[in-house]
Amino acid sequence: MTSERRSAAWFSATGRAGMIYRSWMRNQGFGAEVFDGRPVIGIATSASELAPCNAHLHRVAEAVKRGVWQAGGFPLEFPTMATGETLMRPTAMLYRNLMAMEVEELIRANPLDGVVLLSGCDKTTPAMLMAAASVDVPAVMVTGGPMLNGKYKDMDVGSGTHVWKFEEELKAGRMTQEECFFAEGCMARSNGHCMTMGTASTMACMAEALGMQLPGSATWPAVDARRFETAQAAGQRVVSLVEEELRPSKILTRQAFENAIRVNAAIGGSTNAIIHLLAIAGRVGVELGLHDFDALARDVPTLLDLMPSGRFLMEDFCYAGGLPVVMRQLVEADLLHAGPITVTGKSVADNVTDAECWNAEVITPVAEPFQPAGTGTAVLTGNLCPGGAVLKQSAASPELLTHKGKALVFDSAEEYHAVCDDPELPVDASTVLVIRGAGPKGYPGMPEVSNVPLPAKMLKAGVTDMVRICDGRMSGTGYGTVVLHVTPESAVGGPLAFVRTGDEITLDVPNRSLTLHVDDEELNRRREAWAPPGSPYTSGYTWLYTHHVLQADEGADFDFLQGSRGHAVPRDSH
């Protein structure tokens, strides 16, 4: 038996300690031969009926087990929490760091030589990648795949994206409540996560772009047989990763993160990827800043015509050739680093060299892109966001990318929702809606509330977009001219806290600026008169969160979780 393996400290032990470890495992029917020194592979599954996107992962786990057994490993499935965006309150983002802590400690505390990470919904993928980076045992990500395309009447409908659209239609009187009820059952018609290029699809693609997921794995629909073939292949591959000692720290390099940023631009990915990639980079000690997302994305065109920015959905992307096609085009255009190693043991370029595009409407060529270079996520600076803010240009209205208007300020999203249908609301098409109190500490958890619906009176007047500014996040399925992640947030005394209704604000995306037209002397007076909001949290996890969460420009991770803590075997108490 190989003493170098972590699992040997448990299963190769002599005396009563070894007897305890082996005998209790045998109550599950495992024969003595599984303790012969073969790699022990953990299958971390976030399957949960409370997280609909992940509910099918127990089936995916069975496919992974087949692969592990075939490759000569010993698979052991274990549950993790599931941070389901659809049900969790106040926001799943509040619990991403908790899930990352749990997965990290479960891996470290148990006799695992390698791990396969099964995720799906928005926060489960980054949480598991953060954990794998921190504990640094060989790991492969297997995301659960998107749902099949939604079908309503004569059109394809996208999860999330059409929720916002149908809500607007309902408020404008162009759709009935009964039609909305019917549409609900048409939108999510199979297992899987959102089939738009929302955060779940984006993070699946990010896992593949970083090199932590097998090529092509991000896009197979959850119910496609090839989703399970992919999972089986991952089970086989993780055993080889253990033999090769290919760990996340060797894969998650600065070049890998640069590739992921550029891929995110090319696919029109979610702005949430910024926060998650910053957090993952912080776990492996890779220097990555908000400015990198703007600088690296400026030369990258948007190649995918996918909702919320375009017409198609993830199923179409898959059948057009999937992410390897996008990455091959970027490699050939010298927009990606070709050399970084991936979980295949091969380079990025080697993984995608044979990728073929089967539908150039869905995956457009670099020479004739869906949207030109420079239309990806923009990083803004200015006196309203000294630490930065972001805006997804591909989902915004071009005519609003340069805009000046008077602010209408709300201290919470709930405060806005209480009056947004008021026909007397003092708002016109030029008004800048400011929503604060939605940052990591202030809400807490930085929820996806920034793309608040337009006021009913504006929708009825035919207005389809307005500038919105917030220190919170926006769903990756959302759209609109929305300035997000304003940093520092209002709850810690960022300038957003001092904006008053009637102040003029200029958004200038071409020049990457966000300016509050209030002089420094007046801002200082407002700052001196300001008091931080009180917190009702005096104990428990939320207290821990509000005391230790970092700002958005640092990934909203906990200050005490940055950096890798390694995979040293814990002390034996037996």
Side-chain angles (χ1 to χ4, degrees):
M1 289 181 275
T2 307
S3 60
E4 294 179 345
R5 289 197 182 126
R6 294 184 77 253
S7 60
W10 282 263
F11 298 141
S12 297
T14 58
R16 69 177 183 180
M19 184 176 294
I20 288 172
Y21 295 133
R22 292 185 297 270
S23 65
W24 260 266
M25 287 298 292
R26 293 184 69 175
N27 81 349
Q28 299 177 71
F30 296 122
E33 68 274 8
V34 300
F35 307 114
D36 60 2
R38 67 186 69 191
V40 179
I41 305 299
I43 303 172
T45 174
S46 55
S48 171
E49 291 182 346
L50 288 171
C53 305
N54 297 29
H56 66 298
L57 290 178
H58 61 286
R59 289 188 56 213
V60 179
E62 292 301 319
V64 174
K65 288 179 188 177
R66 288 199 300 269
V68 174
W69 285 121
Q70 288 170 336
F74 178 19
L76 293 170
E77 180 182 350
F78 64 96
T80 73
M81 69 182 294
T83 49
E85 188 64 62
T86 54
L87 295 183
M88 292 189 89
R89 292 186 179 184
T91 168
M93 185 63 176
L94 178 64
Y95 302 104
R96 182 202 65 178
N97 297 348
L98 180 61
M99 182 179 180
M101 288 173 66
E102 181 201 33
V103 175
E104 175 186 348
E105 298 305 332
L106 284 172
I107 295 171
R108 184 178 293 108
N110 284 289
L112 303 178
D113 302 307
V115 65
V116 179
L117 309 164
L118 305 187
S119 68
C121 197
D122 297 20
K123 312 306 176 295
T124 56
T125 299
M128 286 182 155
L129 287 174
M130 290 159 69
S134 288
V135 74
D136 202 30
V137 300
V140 180
M141 172 66 70
V142 177
T143 50
M147 293 183 280
L148 298 175
N149 289 1
K151 301 287 183 180
Y152 174 65
K153 295 184 176 179
D154 62 341
M155 62 180 175
D156 282 356
V157 295
S159 50
T161 298
H162 273 85
V163 170
W164 324 132
K165 289 184 178 180
F166 290 155
E167 179 188 45
E168 291 171 357
E169 293 293 288
L170 184 64
K171 282 178 173 286
R174 295 186 292 266
M175 194 172 186
T176 68
Q177 187 63 68
E178 288 72 22
E179 288 174 317
C180 283
F181 285 146
F182 181 75
E184 288 175 12
C186 304
M187 194 176 304
R189 64 188 187 95
S190 79
N191 285 141
H193 58 66
C194 288
M195 82 299 273
T196 52
M197 187 50 76
T199 306
S201 296
T202 297
M203 292 312 300
C205 291
M206 292 299 93
E208 188 172 325
L210 285 167
M212 291 295 294
Q213 180 159 219
L214 294 180
S217 296
T219 59
W220 287 117
V223 294
D224 194 300
R226 287 160 291 190
R227 167 60 51 196
F228 302 97
E229 287 184 27
T230 295
Q232 184 170 322
Q236 294 170 340
R237 180 57 194 156
V238 73
V239 175
S240 298
L241 288 180
V242 174
E243 302 286 355
E244 297 163 13
E245 295 190 357
L246 182 53
R247 303 179 185 279
S249 56
K250 297 179 181 178
I251 296 171
L252 295 173
T253 63
R254 166 75 189 195
Q255 287 192 337
F257 283 99
E258 290 183 357
N259 281 352
I261 291 170
R262 286 186 161 140
V263 168
N264 191 53
I267 64 177
S270 168
T271 51
N272 288 314
I274 297 173
I275 286 182
H276 299 318
L277 288 173
L278 287 168
I280 298 164
R283 296 298 185 97
V284 287
V286 169
E287 291 292 328
L288 198 67
L290 199 55
H291 63 280
D292 289 318
F293 289 82
D294 196 291
L296 291 165
R298 278 183 182 255
D299 296 333
V300 181
T302 304
L303 302 183
L304 286 192
D305 185 357
L306 252 66
M307 296 182 197
S309 303
R311 297 173 292 164
F312 297 102
L313 294 164
M314 287 294 288
E315 193 178 350
D316 307 304
F317 179 26
C318 178
Y319 304 150
L323 194 66
V325 174
V326 173
M327 294 183 69
R328 178 180 179 178
Q329 291 196 43
L330 295 179
V331 167
E332 292 175 347
D334 289 329
L335 290 170
L336 285 190
H337 299 291
I341 196 74
T342 71
V343 289
T344 64
K346 301 176 182 177
S347 70
V348 168
D350 288 340
N351 284 344
V352 302
T353 187
D354 295 325
E356 292 187 63
C357 181
W358 304 109
N359 189 332
E361 279 192 84
V362 178
I363 309 174
T364 61
V366 171
E368 299 178 65
F370 171 57
Q371 293 191 18
T375 55
T377 297
V379 177
L380 310 174
T381 57
N383 70 340
L384 191 50
C385 55
V390 303
L391 182 143
K392 185 175 179 178
Q393 295 184 82
S394 63
S397 300
E399 68 276 10
L400 290 177
L401 294 179
T402 302
H403 180 80
K404 185 175 184 179
K406 292 186 176 180
L408 182 60
V409 181
F410 299 90
D411 286 326
S412 68
E414 291 80 5
E415 182 180 300
Y416 172 76
H417 285 293
V419 299
C420 68
D421 292 338
D422 184 350
E424 302 301 319
L425 191 69
V427 61
D428 60 33
S430 70
T431 300
V432 175
L433 299 173
V434 175
I435 312 294
R436 60 192 176 201
K441 289 180 182 288
Y443 199 80
M446 203 179 180
E448 295 178 340
V449 297
S450 299
N451 62 326
V452 293
L454 302 191
K457 66 182 283 187
M458 304 311 301
L459 290 169
K460 290 176 181 177
V463 175
T464 58
D465 196 9
M466 295 171 65
V467 174
R468 285 151 280 179
I469 299 174
C470 187
D471 47 9
R473 297 178 301 112
M474 178 173 79
S475 169
T477 66
Y479 53 88
T481 309
V482 189
V483 179
L484 309 157
H485 310 182
V486 173
T487 307
E489 64 174 300
S490 60
V492 299
L496 197 66
F498 315 129
V499 182
R500 294 179 180 174
T501 293
D503 289 345
E504 285 195 326
I505 295 174
T506 294
L507 170 66
D508 186 351
V509 176
N511 290 306
R512 299 298 195 264
S513 67
L514 183 66
T515 306
L516 174 65
H517 295 287
V518 175
D519 62 52
D520 291 343
E521 186 176 342
E522 172 61 20
L523 273 180
N524 286 333
R525 278 197 294 268
R526 295 180 187 182
R527 183 177 288 108
E528 289 172 3
W530 177 82
S535 173
Y537 307 106
T538 59
S539 63
Y541 173 72
T542 308
W543 176 89
L544 176 74
Y545 184 94
T546 55
H547 278 72
H548 291 282
V549 69
L550 298 167
Q551 288 291 288
D553 61 333
E554 297 182 273
D557 199 0
F558 287 152
D559 51 16
F560 60 85
L561 288 182
Q562 291 194 306
S564 176
R565 282 159 291 287
H567 48 266
V569 174
R571 294 170 63 185
D572 186 359
S573 62
H574 294 103

